[in-house]
Amino acid sequence: MAAEVTAAAHTSDVSEISREELLRRLHDSSLTIVDVLPQASYVEAHIPRAINIPLEQIQIRARELLPDFAAEIAVYCGKFT
Amino acid sequence: MLHELGYSNLRVYRGGIADWVESGSPTESVTDTPPPEPEPDPHATIPIGPPLVDSPNGVVGRGPAVLSRMGRLDKSMLDLVQQRSTLQLFLLWIGTILLSGFCFWLGALMGEHGLVEAGRPIGAGLTGFGSALYFSFVTATSIGYGDIVPIGGARVIAVVEAIAALLIFGAVVAKFVSHRQDQLVSEIHRITFEDQLDRIETNLHMVISELLSITAMTETKAPLNRITTRLESSVILFSGELRTTRDLLYQPRLMVEEGVLAAILATLASAMNVLAELLALLPPEFSRSQPLTITLDRLTVLAEEICGECVPHTYTPRLVFWMDQIQATAKRIK
C-alpha cells in the first residue's frame, strides 16, 4: 500500500477531475476541494466549499487541515498546474 | 505537492479558478471581516452624539446578519478563543468591565442615563467613578447586589455587559480547563510515539538475527524452500519498519531525540548490510518467489529514499551518515 502510494508520487500519476464533475459534486461532502492559490486570490473568488492552503504552506498545514490521507481531494490553482 | 505528503486519492482540476470563472460557475468570496469583538459593540457608539439610545439600535441592526452566518461566526468565535491565551482572555474580560464602568460613569455625567445609589444619582467625581466601576464588577460577575441600580440607557449597557462578560468568562474557564487536557493528550501522544520507536528498534533487531540465522542456513546448504519462507517473512517485517522510519524522516510529527533516531538508523543500516550479504550469498539455483521479489523491490525503493539529501528536513551529520549508508546498501541490493 505504502509502496504504491510512493510509486504514484514518483510517476506523478494523479487523476484529473473535470469541471462538470466538480460542479455536480459541489455539495458532495465526500469530496474535499482545496485551493492552493495565495490567500488574496482565495479571498477574491474561490470555488464554493473550497478550503485554502497556499502552496507554500502545504508542507506545514496539509496534515492539520486534511487529516484523512485516503479522502478524495480535488486540487486546483490558477490555470494549468 | 500534496501527493508527496501521502494523500492517495488526489484529483487535479486543471482548468483552475480561471476556467471555473469563465464557465460562469458560482464562486464565493470572503467579504466578512473577522467577527466583531464582543465588548466594543455596545460601547463603540457611546462617545458620539446621544449614545445610549443609539447603542441598542446598533445591536439590533446586527441581528439578522449574525443569524445568517451563524455557523461561520460560531467557528470564528471558536478560533478567536483558540488563538488567545488564557491571560489574554482574562484581560479581555477585565477590559470589558473597565470599559463598561467608564461608560456608566459617562452616563452618570449626563444625568438621565446613569446609576442611582440609595435614591440619589452617583456623583461625577472620583467617588462616582469608583461606584461605577464597582457596579460594573457586580454586574459582570452576575452578583447583582442591587445597592446601586442603573436607570435609562445604563440599563442597556448593564444587560449587554452582563452577557458579554459571562461569555468571555466562560471562555476563560474553558480555556483554563482544556489547557490541562491538552497537556494530557500530548503526553499520551508522546508515550504512544515512544512505544512506536521502541517497536521499530526491537523489530529491526529481530530482523537482523533472523537474517543472520538464514545466512547460517544458507552456508549449511539447508533446503531452499525453507530459506524462502523465512526470508519472505523477515523481509516483509523489515520493509514495514523501513516504511515507518521513512515516514518518520519525511513527516516528523513529534520531535525525535537525535540519539533514538541515530540508533534506529544504525540498526536499519546494519540490517540492510546483513540482507545485502545474504542475498549475495544465496546459491545461483535459488529462485526468488514472487512475493519475495515484490517485497524486496518495495524495500529497496523505500531505502533509496533515505539519504541526507532526499529527506525534506536537515538532520545532524551523524544521522545523515547513517541515511547515506542505507541508501548505498539499497543501491547495492538492486
Side-chain angles (χ1 to χ4, degrees):
Chain A
M1 165 69 187
E4 284 146 25
V5 173
T6 334
H10 279 277
T11 52
S12 71
D13 177 26
V14 180
S15 71
E16 291 188 24
I17 185 164
S18 64
R19 186 176 67 227
E20 292 71 31
E21 187 183 350
L22 201 52
L23 202 52
R24 187 157 37 80
R25 299 182 55 189
L26 217 48
H27 301 287
D28 175 0
S29 59
S30 72
L31 177 74
T32 313
I33 309 174
V34 175
D35 181 335
V36 293
L37 290 163
Q39 200 187 354
S41 151
Y42 177 83
V43 168
E44 195 184 316
H46 58 261
I47 298 179
R49 217 163 55 75
I51 57 173
N52 182 220
I53 314 179
L55 205 50
E56 59 270 22
Q57 291 178 22
I58 277 198
Q59 285 276 358
I60 325 160
R61 303 197 51 208
R63 266 182 164 262
E64 157 204 346
L65 294 169
L66 310 166
D68 185 0
F69 278 160
E72 193 173 7
I73 300 170
V75 189
Y76 74 91
C77 60
K79 201 139 192 178
F80 299 102
T81 40
Chain B
M1 231 165 64
L2 268 174
H3 50 255
E4 277 156 22
L5 295 174
Y7 294 93
S8 50
N9 198 357
L10 278 184
R11 316 276 306 269
V12 172
Y13 173 34
R14 292 230 181 262
I17 192 74
D19 174 61
W20 186 266
V21 175
E22 266 171 41
S23 74
S25 308
T27 58
E28 275 177 2
S29 55
V30 186
T31 48
D32 54 335
T33 43
E37 299 241 333
E39 46 121 356
D41 271 1
H43 319 302
T45 44
I46 295 277
I48 355 158
L52 298 176
V53 191
D54 252 13
S55 85
N57 288 344
V59 173
V60 170
R62 222 173 286 270
V66 169
L67 271 179
S68 68
R69 4 181 144 111
M70 206 50 150
R72 213 179 300 170
L73 190 79
D74 249 17
K75 200 179 166 315
S76 35
M77 283 281 277
L78 280 179
D79 283 349
L80 195 78
V81 173
Q82 191 95 48
Q83 285 158 9
R84 304 279 178 268
S85 71
T86 312
L87 184 68
Q88 277 175 321
L89 285 174
F90 184 72
L91 290 179
L92 181 67
W93 184 67
I94 296 285
T96 312
I97 296 173
L98 293 182
L99 194 61
S100 308
F102 185 67
C103 293
F104 287 130
W105 185 62
L106 279 186
L109 288 187
M110 296 173 47
E112 290 295 292
H113 304 288
L115 302 172
V116 176
E117 182 175 13
R120 285 199 313 275
I122 59 162
L126 200 62
T127 338
F129 187 59
S131 300
L133 276 188
Y134 164 73
F135 172 74
S136 183
F137 266 97
V138 167
T139 307
T141 50
S142 77
I143 295 175
Y145 289 123
D147 51 349
I148 300 178
V149 289
I151 51 165
R155 289 182 174 164
V156 177
I157 311 181
V159 169
V160 174
E161 184 204 358
I163 294 173
L166 201 67
L167 289 178
I168 299 173
F169 196 68
V172 173
V173 174
K175 187 87 187 172
F176 192 67
V177 173
S178 75
H179 186 65
R180 178 89 191 109
Q181 202 137 12
D182 288 349
Q183 275 182 338
L184 277 177
V185 169
S186 66
E187 178 75 357
I188 291 171
H189 273 303
R190 201 179 55 75
I191 293 173
T192 330
F193 187 61
E194 277 173 6
D195 275 354
Q196 196 191 4
L197 293 181
D198 280 351
R199 198 207 64 207
I200 298 179
E201 222 175 323
T202 320
N203 281 355
L204 283 177
H205 276 295
M206 251 165 62
V207 168
I208 292 181
S209 66
E210 181 69 7
L211 287 177
L212 283 174
S213 74
I214 299 174
T215 313
M217 277 170 72
T218 321
E219 277 163 351
T220 56
K221 305 272 183 257
L224 287 181
N225 58 340
R226 275 178 57 200
I227 294 181
T228 311
T229 10
R230 288 185 69 175
L231 191 55
E232 265 171 21
S233 66
S234 56
V235 166
I236 286 172
L237 187 59
F238 191 1
S239 79
E241 298 309 324
L242 193 59
R243 192 180 84 80
T244 322
T245 318
R246 177 208 171 270
D247 290 350
L248 206 63
L249 292 170
Y250 274 74
Q251 311 156 351
R253 274 164 300 170
L254 291 164
M255 278 303 292
V256 190
E257 266 178 54
E258 199 232 356
V260 178
L261 202 53
I264 290 178
L265 287 176
T267 323
L268 205 55
S270 103
M272 285 299 287
N273 255 320
V274 176
L275 181 65
E277 276 163 23
L278 172 59
L279 290 178
L281 200 71
L282 285 172
E285 65 267 25
F286 178 84
S287 66
R288 290 182 188 183
S289 66
Q290 205 193 351
L292 183 60
T293 321
I294 294 172
T295 324
L296 274 177
D297 280 350
R298 284 185 186 177
L299 196 141
T300 40
V301 168
L302 282 171
E304 271 186 305
E305 285 176 12
I306 299 180
C307 72
E309 271 153 31
C310 17
V311 290
H313 308 272
T314 31
Y315 291 96
T316 57
R318 183 155 70 128
L319 298 181
V320 170
F321 169 79
W322 289 118
M323 289 187 224
D324 290 346
Q325 288 269 307
I326 294 170
Q327 194 193 36
T329 321
K331 286 196 170 133
R332 224 167 76 210
I333 292 179
K334 224 174 184 180

